[in-house]
Amino acid sequence: MSSLRVFLVENHQDTVRYMQLFLEQLSYKVCIAADMATALREIPNSHCDVLISDIGLPDGDGWQLMEKLGDHRPHFAIAMSGYGTGNDQLKSRAAGYDHHLVKPFTPDALLALLREAETFTAKDTQS
Amino acid sequence: MTTRREEIFSVLQEIGLPAVRVKQGSAEVIEFNELFSSLINRAAPRDYRLWFVEGVLARMTDADRTSCEVAFVNRTPVQVQVTFKAINGRALNLRSFFSVGQKKVDQSVVWVFIPLANQILERVRDAHLSEGRELERLRMRNELHQGVSQQLLGAAFGCKVLAGKVATLSEELGKEASDLAKLVNGAVIELQNLVQSNENQS
């Protein structure tokens, strides 16, 4: 059972719906936002451990989101994008994301990263 | 001192377009540029005044000749197609258009011939085709990323959720749902490879 709090920023309705159900089935606590403005407003008070954000958002992009979050950035962040060129991946790294998933990806690929986030968060809490 | 008419023919020569001015009724040639001359005089009679009648009108279809006559009467521009024979014997298609002098005293007609296939036009055509291919590739790339990828991603998570729920109801149904989730996962991986190869090409 996981107690990680995940904040999901994605504007594709079906994707966000099933990702949320999938994560909740695995006992993650999930908050969602469909655009950057909502995410910026809600993340600081959500106390989330992991941010999963699409790079292409209706009112900006996932890289700007990280920059604007500043000190409110979660400990662990995963970018999702339909574009997986080296440049996109570098930009995600530079923006502060720990990983960049290229869409489409399997649920298992996301799960593997969340396991890593759990380990990371556990170590962070101990230290 | 060059006249305005000569300037027009000179400019048309420079940009590679054969041109000729003929009398409106008799179609007798009044003036022409060298490109028209090189186009017509291989098969036409020596008398340049007949070049248009025997070298151009003779190569038109009946329908095009009728269009020309109507345009003459109405004093409106018209386009017809004329096929000449190139030096190498290949057919040389030219789209020609003429405009009729607007003044009543000016009873002449200027014909300009636009090659449908020459090196410049072929390059322009190739550039357009190439641009079209690139636009189509970009359209498909966007379609792949914004459409199919996104829907398949949702489906993959949906199947996984379904498999988890069904498994609590029936072991057999759960296995079938799990197989379905694996099938969708396989499609996701195939599409991932396609997206990757598409990214590498761009």
Side-chain angles (χ1 to χ4, degrees):
Chain A
M1 295 284 275
S2 175
S3 58
L4 276 188
R5 287 179 297 263
V6 176
F7 201 104
L8 183 58
V9 189
E10 165 70 69
N11 65 315
H12 189 267
Q13 285 187 350
D14 287 337
T15 303
V16 80
R17 178 179 165 213
Y18 289 117
M19 280 179 83
Q20 183 180 12
L21 284 172
F22 170 73
L23 294 172
E24 284 174 349
Q25 210 171 51
L26 297 167
S27 303
Y28 291 97
K29 293 177 183 67
V30 185
C31 297
I32 55 170
D35 53 53
M36 187 165 76
T38 311
L40 283 171
R41 202 171 51 243
E42 294 183 4
I43 287 175
N45 299 319
S46 69
H47 307 292
C48 62
D49 304 295
V50 182
L51 168 68
I52 304 173
S53 175
D54 192 11
I55 291 300
L57 297 170
D59 54 350
D61 61 52
W63 300 313
Q64 293 171 329
L65 172 64
M66 278 296 263
E67 190 189 333
K68 289 183 178 179
L69 277 172
D71 292 340
H72 297 293
R73 290 179 185 188
H75 296 298
F76 199 89
I78 302 165
M80 305 182 287
S81 167
Y83 300 95
T85 59
N87 192 36
D88 287 343
Q89 305 215 13
L90 283 175
K91 275 178 90 171
S92 292
R93 285 280 184 178
Y97 286 98
D98 298 279
H99 292 279
H100 178 110
L101 281 173
V102 181
K103 290 179 184 177
F105 49 84
T106 62
D108 289 343
L110 179 63
L111 198 55
L113 296 185
L114 289 173
R115 301 274 185 245
E116 187 185 319
E118 279 170 36
T119 314
F120 180 85
T121 311
K123 279 182 188 168
D124 203 41
T125 312
Q126 283 168 10
S127 61
Chain B
M1 188 177 165
T2 56
T3 64
R4 189 176 160 80
R5 279 182 173 180
E6 284 168 343
E7 273 178 27
I8 291 170
F9 276 79
S10 166
V11 169
L12 289 169
Q13 170 79 24
E14 276 177 27
I15 61 175
L17 298 179
V20 60
R21 179 187 295 278
V22 298
K23 282 187 182 170
Q24 194 173 328
S26 63
E28 185 183 308
V29 172
I30 302 168
E31 62 182 318
F32 53 86
N33 63 14
E34 284 176 29
L35 282 170
F36 178 75
S37 152
S38 65
L39 188 70
I40 205 79
N41 66 6
R42 291 185 196 94
R46 285 186 179 179
D47 187 346
Y48 77 89
R49 287 173 299 183
L50 298 175
W51 279 1
F52 190 80
V53 173
E54 297 191 13
V56 178
L57 285 179
R59 294 167 194 275
M60 280 186 202
T61 62
D62 289 344
D64 277 348
R65 265 197 295 271
T66 306
S67 301
C68 290
E69 282 164 16
V70 172
F72 269 131
V73 173
N74 296 334
R75 304 180 72 81
T76 53
V78 71
Q79 285 191 44
V80 292
Q81 190 164 320
V82 188
T83 305
F84 295 93
K85 205 168 241 177
I87 299 170
N88 60 10
R90 281 195 339 189
L92 190 63
N93 283 309
L94 291 102
R95 170 77 57 185
S96 68
F97 75 90
F98 70 73
S99 65
V100 185
Q102 294 301 304
K103 291 177 187 169
K104 282 208 167 177
V105 288
D106 188 359
Q107 298 293 304
S108 66
V109 176
V110 174
W111 288 75
V112 180
F113 297 85
I114 302 168
L116 292 181
N118 70 9
Q119 281 185 336
I120 296 170
L121 287 180
E122 275 171 14
R123 278 205 297 274
V124 170
R125 187 196 60 197
D126 288 349
H128 277 292
L129 282 175
S130 169
E131 192 184 352
R133 276 194 293 268
E134 178 61 15
L135 285 174
E136 181 61 10
R137 204 182 62 76
L138 285 174
R139 190 190 66 76
M140 285 181 71
R141 183 174 182 241
N142 281 336
E143 194 77 13
L144 194 64
H145 289 153
Q146 309 301 330
V148 183
S149 291
Q150 198 75 46
Q151 282 167 355
L152 201 52
L153 182 64
F157 278 88
C159 282
K160 195 81 175 173
V161 169
L162 184 71
K165 282 187 178 175
V166 171
T168 60
L169 302 173
S170 153
E171 195 178 329
E172 193 181 335
L173 284 177
K175 190 188 172 307
E176 282 183 23
S178 176
D179 287 346
L180 178 65
K182 280 179 193 164
L183 194 70
V184 176
N185 265 3
V188 166
I189 290 162
E190 270 189 41
L191 191 62
Q192 262 178 353
N193 294 335
L194 193 64
V195 167
Q196 201 56 51
S197 70
N198 190 276
E199 291 288 347
N200 293 339
Q201 278 173 22
S202 45

